[in-house]
């Protein structure tokens, strides 16, 4: 009924320790115990964490050795494993495991921690307790173990005492942990990177979170490596969804022990089986002696049986040879059939490709037919329109023919006037041609100016691209882990459409001038033709020939 997180486990452990230690814990009455009462409580907590998950709680010898090795490692002392094995073998229940009170008596006996001061033992027990029970993956151990941290706002360096847990990296003013300055929440998206030395700091590294990058400096390369490896371990635990490193290690050690026990049980079972086989072999040897006599008596029967079996074997061999030949023939026929099937499949694939090609050609022909019909409709529409215009022109021609008969007399009088007008128009045409030549010369000069402007524009674009790269480098310094972005070339991309628009404007102006000069030429030609034909009598054929060019 108890839910995790609804109570303080440390207080609960202290309550259980108070209720049980008074009756079961028996330290030295003279005060010569190796560990203090508080250290005994922490060892009791460590025992509960590492013990097996069954009642009554016992710690197997492997876990006892593991805990003692961690305590000795924290004191830079090597554990004598042989002496520990001797002690466990002397205990009546040592092979199956130790209870917590037997474990405390063993530690207080001083057999494994002799010659070590109680203060050093207390510090080692405290370090192992924080690592295993409080899930402290790493913390500063000495004054030289402090880390320098760079501030976010003031950007100054401050010396802080750091403590790492699987989900958070906390830092304090000192190792007493009285004044907490802040913490760094760790998750699977965080990462740690080594930085080059700068700002007068060496052995730098940083912790990148989703919201901020924390820069830190260690005292030496070894400290930096230890901290980076510990932080990477915490991030890996967060990514795997694990809350405690030592719970995972404990489970792995338990699985390894179970595997060793299974292998040991399998080995014992194999030994027992070999022993039984040996006994069975001896028994069979005895039976073999008894059977030798019966074998001699059965030799004649065996020879007869062997002859009969040989005949059966020969007959079976002949039958198998016949079946083998039949199988070879069947395999050959199947191979021929497979070749035919493959050839048929190849023909089918070629046929499919031909059909697909034919379908594409049919679609192209259909599109061409649709386009031809559309062109035909447009031609028919244009033809109808031309017929209507032709009828209208015929009416106008008849009218003009009547007017020509009326004005034929006036033509003779106006001939001189038309000649004078023709001369004037020729003069105007010559002036227009001169102006056209001037416009063409001006256009060539403008084209040369445009080409010069384009060269200057390309030079300016190259200069702007160069200065853009320089400005990007100055405004955006490259940080650790960032990729260098490529500055896209182009510069002022709007100049090319402007030049194209200017060229199109010049071409349009030239076409307008050409069109403006063409009517003058057409009028002059018309006047010449009218003047040349004024002296001849009108005829229907001449009127028709004069009308067709207009159409």
């Amino acid at each position: 009924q108890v839910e995790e997180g609804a109570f303080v486990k440390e207080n609960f452990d202290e309550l259980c320790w108070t209720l049980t230690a008074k009756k079961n814990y028996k330290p030295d009455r003279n005060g010569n115990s190796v560990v203090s009462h508080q250290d005994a409580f922490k060892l009791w907590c460590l025992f509960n964490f590492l013990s097996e998950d069954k009642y009554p709680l016992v710690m197997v010898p492997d876990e006892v050795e593991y805990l003692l090795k961690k305590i000795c490692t924290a004191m830079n002392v090597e554990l004598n494993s042989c002496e520990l094995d001797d002690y466990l073998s002397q205990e009546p229940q040592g092979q199956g495991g130790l209870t917590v009170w037997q474990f405390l008596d063993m530690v207080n006996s001083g057999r494994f921690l002799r010659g070590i001061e109680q203060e050093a033992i207390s510090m080692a027990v405290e370090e192992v307790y924080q690592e295993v029970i409080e899930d402290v993956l790493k913390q500063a151990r000495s004054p030289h173990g402090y880390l320098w941290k760079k501030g976010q706002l003031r950007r100054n360096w401050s010396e802080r005492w750091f403590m790492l847990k699987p989900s958070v990296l906390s830092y304090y003013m000192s190792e007493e942990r009285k004044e907490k300055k802040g913490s760094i929440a760790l998750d699977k998206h965080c990462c740690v990177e080594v930085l080059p030395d700068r700002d007068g700091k060496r052995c730098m590294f940083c912790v990148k979170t989703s919201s901020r990058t924390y820069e830190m400096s260690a005292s030496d390369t070894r400290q930096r490596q230890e901290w980076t490896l510990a932080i990477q371990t915490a991030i890996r635990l967060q990514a795997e969804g694990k809350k405690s490193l030592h719970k995972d290690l404990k489970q792995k050690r338990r699985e390894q022990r179970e595997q060793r026990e299974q292998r040991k049980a399998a080995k014992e079972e194999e030994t027992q089986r070999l022993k039984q086989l040996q006994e069975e072999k001896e028994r069979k040897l005895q039976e073999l002696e008894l059977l030798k006599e019966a074998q001699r008596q059965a030799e004649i029967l065996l020879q007869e049986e062997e002859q009969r079996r040989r005949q059966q074997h020969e007959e079976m061999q002949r039958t198998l040879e016949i079946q083998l030949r039949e199988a070879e023939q069947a395999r050959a026929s199947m191979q021929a059939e497979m070749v035919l099937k493959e050839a048929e499949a190849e023909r089918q694939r070629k046929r499919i490709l031909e059909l697909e090609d034919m379908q594409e050609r049919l679609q192209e022909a259909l599109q061409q037919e649709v386009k031809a019909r559309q062109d035909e409709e447009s031609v028919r529409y244009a033809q109808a329109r031309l017929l209507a215009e032709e009828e209208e022109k015929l009416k106008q021609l008849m009218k003009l023919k009547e007017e020509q008969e009326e004005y034929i007399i006036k033509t003779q009088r106006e001939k001189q006037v038309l000649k004078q007008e023709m001369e004037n128009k020729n003069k105007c045409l010559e002036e227009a041609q001169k102006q056209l030549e001037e416009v063409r010369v001006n256009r060539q000069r403008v084209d040369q100016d445009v080409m010069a402007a384009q060269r200057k524009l390309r030079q300016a674009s190259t200069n702007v691209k160069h200065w853009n790269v320089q400005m990007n480098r100055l405004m955006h310094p490259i940080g650790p882990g960032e990729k260098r972005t490529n500055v896209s070339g182009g510069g002022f991309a709007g100049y090319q459409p402007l030049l194209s628009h200017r060229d199109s404007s010049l071409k349009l102006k030239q076409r307008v001038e050409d069109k403006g000069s063409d009517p003058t030429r057409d009028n002059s030609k018309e006047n010449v033709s009218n003047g040349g034909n004024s002296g001849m009598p009108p005829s229907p054929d001449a009127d028709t020939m004069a009308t067709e060019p207009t159409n």
Side-chain angles (χ1 to χ4, degrees), residues 56-280:
L57 297 180
V58 294
M59 187 189 299
V60 296
D62 291 342
E63 295 297 324
V64 174
E65 183 178 1
Y66 173 76
L67 180 55
L68 291 177
K69 279 185 177 180
K70 287 197 73 68
I71 295 174
C72 292
T73 303
M75 296 184 295
N76 296 324
V77 177
E78 185 177 358
L79 177 66
N80 191 348
S81 301
C82 298
E83 190 173 359
L84 176 61
D85 294 337
D86 295 340
Y87 179 85
L88 294 176
S89 61
Q90 293 175 3
E91 290 291 328
Q93 298 179 353
Q95 297 298 327
L98 297 178
T99 63
V100 63
W101 313 116
Q102 292 174 344
F103 174 71
L104 291 176
D105 291 341
M106 180 186 70
V107 174
N108 278 324
S109 65
R111 188 171 180 176
F112 306 102
L113 302 176
R114 64 171 64 93
I116 302 175
E117 297 181 358
Q118 186 176 5
E119 183 179 356
I121 297 174
S122 179
M123 292 176 63
V125 171
E126 174 66 21
E127 181 178 345
V128 176
Y129 177 81
Q130 289 181 356
E131 179 182 352
V132 177
I133 304 300
E134 297 181 357
D135 288 329
V136 177
L137 298 180
K138 184 170 178 57
Q139 60 182 344
R141 297 184 179 181
S142 64
H144 298 288
Y146 280 73
L147 297 179
W148 288 87
K149 175 185 169 295
K150 190 174 185 179
Q152 181 180 10
L153 299 178
R154 297 174 59 187
R155 310 301 291 173
N156 59 335
W157 291 89
S158 304
E159 192 176 26
R160 297 288 181 261
W161 189 86
F162 280 79
M163 183 175 67
L164 174 64
K165 290 188 176 183
S167 61
V168 65
L169 176 62
S170 304
Y171 48 94
Y172 303 83
M173 285 293 294
S174 62
E175 57 185 336
E176 285 78 13
R177 293 187 291 175
K178 294 181 180 179
E179 183 179 356
K180 184 177 181 180
K181 300 301 294 182
S183 60
I184 304 173
L186 301 177
D187 55 21
K188 61 182 181 180
H189 303 292
C190 298
C191 65
V192 59
E193 296 180 357
V194 176
L195 299 178
D197 299 342
R198 65 171 184 268
D199 298 337
K201 296 296 179 181
R202 54 190 296 271
C203 303
M204 294 180 60
F205 65 95
C206 68
V207 178
K208 291 185 178 180
T209 64
S210 57
S211 60
R212 181 183 168 188
T213 300
Y214 299 85
E215 296 184 7
M216 284 160 279
S217 172
S219 60
D220 52 26
T221 306
R222 179 181 177 183
Q223 286 289 330
R224 179 176 66 179
Q225 184 178 6
E226 291 178 357
W227 276 104
T228 53
L229 291 177
I231 296 172
Q232 288 173 355
T233 302
I235 295 172
R236 178 178 58 81
L237 291 176
Q238 292 295 316
E240 295 175 356
K242 298 175 181 177
K243 298 181 180 179
S244 175
L245 173 63
H246 285 277
K247 286 183 180 179
D248 185 34
L249 295 177
K250 174 187 173 183
Q251 184 64 28
K252 289 181 179 178
R253 291 195 302 272
R254 182 176 298 175
E255 292 175 356
Q256 292 175 358
R257 287 197 303 273
E258 291 176 355
Q259 292 176 359
R260 286 200 304 269
E261 290 176 358
Q262 291 176 0
R263 289 195 296 268
K264 184 178 180 181
K267 187 175 181 180
E268 292 178 354
E269 183 180 354
E270 183 69 18
T271 304
Q272 186 67 24
R273 189 173 64 84
L274 290 174
K275 185 177 180 181
Q276 292 176 358
L277 289 174
Q278 184 68 21
E279 294 176 355
E280 184 70 18

Side-chain angles (χ1 to χ4, degrees), residues 416-478:
Q416 298 297 330
V417 177
L418 290 174
K419 287 181 179 181
Q420 186 66 29
E421 290 179 356
M422 184 176 66
E423 292 177 357
N424 294 333
K425 287 182 179 180
N426 288 331
K427 291 179 180 180
C428 292
L429 179 60
E430 291 176 357
E431 293 177 358
Q433 287 179 351
K434 291 180 180 180
Q435 292 177 0
L436 179 60
E437 291 296 331
E438 292 177 358
V439 169
R440 288 178 178 173
V441 172
N442 292 333
R443 187 185 67 178
Q444 291 178 358
R445 186 166 54 255
V446 170
D447 290 340
Q448 293 176 359
D449 295 340
V450 168
M451 292 176 64
Q454 287 179 349
R455 289 194 298 269
K456 292 179 180 180
L457 179 59
R458 285 192 294 269
Q459 184 64 28
S461 176
T462 304
N463 295 334
V464 168
K465 177 180 176 181
H466 173 72
W467 285 112
N468 282 338
V469 172
Q470 297 299 326
M471 288 297 294
N472 286 333
R473 290 177 179 173
L474 293 174
M475 296 301 293
H476 300 284
I478 299 174

